[in-house]
Amino acid sequence: MALRRLRNPQTLLLISVIAALTGGGVARLFSTVASDALWAGGIVIVLLPAAWWVFQDFRRHKYGADLLAVLALASTLLVGELLAGAVIGLMVATGRLLEGFASRRAAKDLTALLDRAPRHAHRVTAAGTETVEVDAIRPGDEVVVRSGEIVPVDGVLCENAVLDESALTGEALLVTRERGSAVRSGVVNGGGAVRMSVTSRAADSTYAGIVHLAQQAAAESAPIARIADHVAQWFLPVAVAIALGAWLLSGDPVRGVAVLVTATPCPLILAVPIAITGGLSRASSAGVVVKDGAALESLGRVRTLVMDKTGTVTTGQPSVAAVVTAPEHNPQSVLAEAASVEQYSSHVTAEAIVRAARKSGAALMPAKQVRESHGSYAEGYVDGTRIRVGQLHVETAPDWARGVALRARLDLASVVWVEADDVLAGALLMTDRIRPDANRTMLRLASAGIGRTVLLTGDKLENAAETAALIGVTDVAADASPAAKIRRVQDECRRAPTAMVGDGINDAPALAAADVGVALGSRGSTAAVQAADAVIVDDRIDRLADAVEIARGSRRLAVQSAMIGMSLSLIAMGFAAAGLLVPLAGAIVQEGIDVAVILNSLRIVLRKRTRLARPVSGLLERFAKEHDELSQARSAVRHAAAALSESGRAAAAYVAVCAAYEALQREILPHEAAEEKELYPALNALWNTREVTLTMSREHAEIERLTRRLGRHLSESTGCIAAEQIEDLRATLYGLDAILTLHFAQEEEAYFSLAEDSGHKPGAG
């Protein structure tokens, strides 16, 4: 690795200049001619590549800081101010090395998109099936797609199928497509083997189109102009004008050279790369790898943010949002029975059910004679009871089940039914949860200067609109294909500097097209990571706010250093034009300016990330874990309220209300009391105010009040619920459910997402 760095042209350039400058100084003790030759050699070593950089700029119809450096180097060589020129060469070579670290452009590599493309297909023949190259498939052929395989070409289903379409649409849940439905290449068969009739060749199919779009977008991405070049565009004409004026008015060309020496853009060449390199380092320590300095500069200019939904704003995987049961069943036991059967399945929904059961503390039991109907249901015997879990078709649904179906439609959730011995026992509502740190991230981005946010997704409009409303995004584009995503991102880029954030294969083309593409790397597709300019290395969307804040700070410091350096250079140029600074003295003054702006730029490196104290972080982690464990206690409250609506089940309703009251007393109230005693004082000390937890404490008091009211209702009862109690009891229980839902969500968004060290503390810079 060290040898490779030494072979770097920028490193070799710097070493050569140092050798020439040092050698000339030593040779000066013995021979003026030898020292002048070495210093002249040092100038030429830098002048030749610098002239090539300027030539390349001219070919792109622009000029920048390099042109002023070339003029200064050439002028010192012409008038014999060789030591001054060698010092300038040293600064130019040092700056080029720093800029190489910061701005070495990482080409967008899209091989992951190509590697994922299916290479073979199973074509149906008279003798059975044969495996052939995917390019050999023609429209009209019939192919078989086995379980877990990627659909190789576009076609029409010959039978019902269960598909994972997340690669194209971002939808986290599996979808069922009926016979005769069109199916696109790139989706994954999530059920059993299915037959399909081919409608297009592989080269003309949907997935091939995505690859082409990504390659085209990457090729068309415009290069980002350096901050140094922006400043040099006005500074260069000023410096040249002053140098010519000093020469013509005094008749001494050395004065003009002295002006150019003091005007050498070393503050641009050194300070700007240091600020950008420091920003890259800080972003990396905050969990965001930015591929190059140009991307960081561009991220600091972003005014519009376009976001994918599934896997970016949401967790990207289904989760159990609620457990609803028949009045005679208990939510905890229904969830445990369902998970006991599903623990033997690798289905994404099954994993979510098992995960929810374990988080709630439910004990999973061994299931016997487990069998699975792909895309429909799984069943097995748990403690002698036949449990069936899945998409069941119920002929005559009871009132509570019809209520579940309505609630699912209102909540935009899917339903997994649970049967016990052919009788409906409960239902699990599945949703793709919004990340708990998403709302706070949007607020931080707005404070950082992101004035416009767009939710751009392949998901359905109603799902996208609901998500956008919850996190404060006002512009929504749903049902978007990869091609539509590119068009929207390009439109936004034309209006203002735009960043795109995504994690899926379908996001890769849009990430390549954006001014800055940001991918979530921990669970995101390799294709998205390769197409992006920056990668969030873990699963936290609030790292995006960290990156934008750091990029803003780095760019602000770079511009500030450049302007301070150029202002000081203008003053020095005035002294040089008046004959008060000879070229060598001008070079020394320029070095002093360099030191000043470099120290200013180093402030970006010296800024430390604010970390939560370990005791506070530990408390947040503990109470966040308890929130997961209390999910079934909260479900018991809503279950009791629903049971009061079931006519003819007064005894079951009484049992449910008693269970809810016991869950409140035994689990929820002790949790809230511990928060008041341990967590909230620690948070108040962290923020140095009680205001941040005052609202939460008031909600605790309301939860306690309604729990006492529930207890008084039960003390009035003698084994059953009186008719006159039902209305107030139902209102009390639904009130508790609403407050608990709001309270838990507020705590998770405001506090618990800080548990994993985010590097950001409210009120800190």
Side-chain angles (χ1 to χ4, degrees), residues 427-460:
L428 312 177
L429 295 182
M430 312 294 296
T431 61
D432 183 11
R433 293 182 59 193
I434 294 175
R435 293 177 182 272
D437 54 347
N439 195 276
R440 185 161 49 90
T441 299
M442 294 300 104
L443 293 174
R444 289 179 58 195
L445 288 170
S447 298
I450 303 294
R452 175 175 168 76
T453 52
V454 181
L455 194 65
L456 180 61
T457 176
D459 202 357
K460 296 184 289 292

Side-chain angles (χ1 to χ4, degrees), residues 157 159-163 165 169 175-179 181-183:
L157 292 171
E159 52 197 316
N160 295 350
V162 177
L163 304 174
E165 298 183 347
T169 67
V175 295
T176 301
R177 300 296 181 197
E178 297 181 352
R179 176 182 178 179
S181 299
V183 60

Side-chain angles (χ1 to χ4, degrees), residues 551-583:
R552 285 272 200 277
S554 299
R555 189 172 186 279
R556 184 168 54 249
L557 204 54
V559 172
Q560 181 188 86
S561 295
M563 298 309 295
I564 290 174
M566 295 300 96
S567 298
L568 293 174
S569 293
L570 283 171
I571 295 172
M573 287 160 58
F575 282 99
L580 300 176
L581 284 177
V582 297

Side-chain angles (χ1 to χ4, degrees), residues 14 34 39 189 214 254 360 362 439 472 514 586 623 681 714 740 751:
L14 179 59
W39 287 336
N189 181 13
V254 175
S360 70
N439 195 276
F623 285 103
L714 290 175
L740 287 169
Y751 309 143

Side-chain angles (χ1 to χ4, degrees), residues 488-512:
R488 182 58 182 264
V489 168
Q490 290 174 336
D491 287 344
E492 296 295 342
C493 288
R494 281 190 283 270
R495 295 191 189 102
T498 298
M500 166 72 190
V501 187
D503 74 321
I505 289 170
N506 60 324
D507 299 319
L511 291 171

Side-chain angles (χ1 to χ4, degrees), residues 348-370:
V348 63
T349 304
E351 293 174 1
I353 293 171
V354 173
R355 187 169 57 249
R358 286 176 175 158
K359 279 187 175 182
S360 70
L364 272 63
M365 298 164 281
K368 300 178 180 178
Q369 300 179 37
V370 177

